[in-house]
Amino acid sequence: MFSEPRPFWSPLAAGIGLGLVLLLTFLLTGHGLGASGFFTRLTAWFGGEIARPATEANIYLGPFLKAAGGPLATWITWEVIGVMLGALVAAVTSGRFRVKLDGATRLSGSRRIACAIAGGLLTGVGARLARGCTSGIGLSGGATLGVAAFLFLIGFFVSGVAIGWLARRIWA
Amino acid sequence: MTLPLLDDGVASGLLCGLLFGYVLEHAGFGSPRKLTAQFRLSDWSVFKVMFTAIVVAAIGLYGVTATELVAADGFYIPTTFFWAMLAGGILVGAGMAVGGYCPGTSAVGLATGRLDGLFFIIGMILGTAVFAAVFEPIAGFYYAAEGPEAQTLSALFGIPTWAVLGFLIVIAVLGFRLGTRFERRFGGALTAGQLNDDGDKTTGGSVETSNVRTG
């Protein structure tokens, strides 16, 4: 048996903590936290490895390949590596680290994988359209009171509740 | 020393990321079950944590600009492209409802041992490739309805920043109350103990939940 996991922080405590981390990030860098920018660069990197001419010719991904040091040599890469290390430390020290296939609770393993890939696909397209994700546009843009952030967040929550209602039988 | 430091170096990225990931995990946001429970309105942690963070950081940013510690234009503010950003929000919301994560939390999920986080990331890479492949035909949509550069709520509504902050605090308080009321109705927000049970053995838990609903 695993040791009993420690409780999560209260939403208020976690929210204040996250707000302070976000504020620190703004003071250090002039911009907020993000995530999808890294996955865009990772896509450009993969493209460069497996289909270089096509990726270089692509009007959206091509410029990332031409960046000095390659598409991954940037702040957001280190930030996402940091996110993973920070999450790992938090999970291990709180007895919450488990290797498992989590996801849509009511589905079998292969269907969980299909849901995760499908959800990722929608998110990948969506984050590029929005020029950022829940962190980069929603959270960071929201802290600067940017109109774009609140537009994004309204779309995110309304769609999430609607699709979440349709998907409720596979999740709960 | 001028703020912001404009430090985009390795140490700055690692430090901000470490703290970000540490807090996200402690909020429970490595779990796709907790994240998607927000959309079923049974666990309001996503709203509560995000909105609190936005308000706290916004007050801090207002403080350092109002006291001229940082120039008014010292921070990056996104510019609105109405249709693409609304559609993007809708797709990212749908992606979380189906796949269980958003980009940042998928990294947290993977780092805490969740293999589905890795599959979500593979999906995101495919989605980004699809977007890049169709970028030219959809460029008109991507750039449509551009708003004023770096427009804030304060500029949009023509009210001072402190009033916007006051309004957001009111929404946060009301959202916390409403959320807690919903959580009670659905048997409480998901706890670390519930979530660390093996995902395949949750039938018992689900039956309990449906009992609470009918009860």
Side-chain angles (χ1 to χ4, degrees), chain A residues 28 96 102 105 131 145 159, chain B residues 25 90 114 142 153 202:
Chain A
L28 271 179
R96 293 193 289 258
D102 208 337
T105 325
R131 297 150 169 89
L145 305 180
S159 153
Chain B
E25 202 287 328
I90 288 171
R114 293 177 170 90
Y142 183 75
L153 292 178
T202 50

Side-chain angles (χ1 to χ4, degrees), chain A residues 58-79:
Chain A
N58 183 268
I59 191 166
Y60 194 82
L61 293 179
F64 291 109
L65 282 185
K66 290 177 194 103
L72 296 176
T74 181
W75 184 86
I76 197 117
T77 300
W78 296 104
E79 188 238 32

Side-chain angles (χ1 to χ4, degrees), chain B residues 103-144:
Chain B
T105 50
S106 70
V108 175
L110 175 60
T112 54
R114 293 177 170 90
L115 302 174
D116 53 310
L118 179 63
F119 289 107
F120 189 90
I121 289 170
I122 292 169
M124 276 197 299
I125 292 171
L126 294 174
T128 307
V130 167
F131 174 84
V134 301
F135 182 73
E136 280 179 86
I138 64 164
F141 180 77
Y142 183 75
Y143 290 112

Side-chain angles (χ1 to χ4, degrees), chain A residues 3-28:
Chain A
S3 61
E4 197 58 23
R6 301 248 285 277
F8 296 129
W9 291 352
S10 79
L12 184 64
I16 291 171
L18 184 55
L20 293 176
V21 174
L22 183 56
L23 181 61
L24 172 76
T25 305
F26 269 109
L27 293 175
L28 271 179

Side-chain angles (χ1 to χ4, degrees), chain B residues 7 14 37 40 55 61 82 94 105 107 141 171 192 199 203:
Chain B
D7 178 358
L14 280 174
R40 294 187 298 278
V55 169
L61 292 179
F82 190 89
T105 50
F141 180 77
I171 295 183
T203 331

Side-chain angles (χ1 to χ4, degrees), chain B residues 95-186:
Chain B
M96 185 185 266
V98 172
Y101 299 101
C102 62
T105 50
S106 70
V108 175
L110 175 60
T112 54
R114 293 177 170 90
L115 302 174
D116 53 310
L118 179 63
F119 289 107
F120 189 90
I121 289 170
I122 292 169
M124 276 197 299
I125 292 171
L126 294 174
T128 307
V130 167
F131 174 84
V134 301
F135 182 73
E136 280 179 86
I138 64 164
F141 180 77
Y142 183 75
Y143 290 112
E146 181 178 356
E149 198 185 330
Q151 190 185 36
T152 62
L153 292 178
S154 159
L156 177 68
F157 295 117
I159 53 174
T161 302
W162 59 262
V164 175
L165 292 173
F167 183 66
L168 290 181
I169 290 170
V170 170
I171 295 183
V173 171
L174 293 177
F176 262 75
R177 282 192 181 178
L178 182 72
T180 304
R181 192 176 293 183
F182 268 96
E183 285 169 352
R184 284 203 191 113
R185 221 172 92 185
F186 287 108

Side-chain angles (χ1 to χ4, degrees), chain A:
Chain A
M1 273 302 288
F2 291 109
S3 61
E4 197 58 23
R6 301 248 285 277
F8 296 129
W9 291 352
S10 79
L12 184 64
I16 291 171
L18 184 55
L20 293 176
V21 174
L22 183 56
L23 181 61
L24 172 76
T25 305
F26 269 109
L27 293 175
L28 271 179
T29 68
H31 56 75
L33 297 158
S36 69
F38 167 72
F39 294 107
T40 304
R41 290 161 180 278
L42 191 58
T43 308
W45 180 83
F46 269 119
E49 294 296 306
I50 59 178
R52 188 155 196 106
T55 312
E56 274 178 346
N58 183 268
I59 191 166
Y60 194 82
L61 293 179
F64 291 109
L65 282 185
K66 290 177 194 103
L72 296 176
T74 181
W75 184 86
I76 197 117
T77 300
W78 296 104
E79 188 238 32
V80 171
I81 291 170
V83 165
M84 297 192 65
L85 291 173
L88 177 66
V89 169
V92 168
T93 56
S94 310
R96 293 193 289 258
F97 183 89
R98 302 278 189 282
V99 176
K100 63 178 172 184
L101 184 67
D102 208 337
T105 325
R106 295 286 184 89
L107 299 181
S108 65
S110 57
R111 289 185 178 182
R112 284 188 192 189
I113 292 173
C115 267
I117 293 175
L121 220 151
L122 293 169
T123 302
V125 175
R128 275 359 306 146
L129 275 174
R131 297 150 169 89
C133 57
T134 336
S135 320
I137 290 287
L139 189 66
S140 304
T144 65
L145 305 180
V147 173
F150 293 91
L151 177 68
F152 174 90
L153 286 173
I154 289 169
F156 172 76
F157 271 100
V158 170
S159 153
V161 170
I163 306 294
W165 188 78
L166 293 174
R168 69 193 184 285
R169 287 182 202 289
I170 65 170
W171 276 98

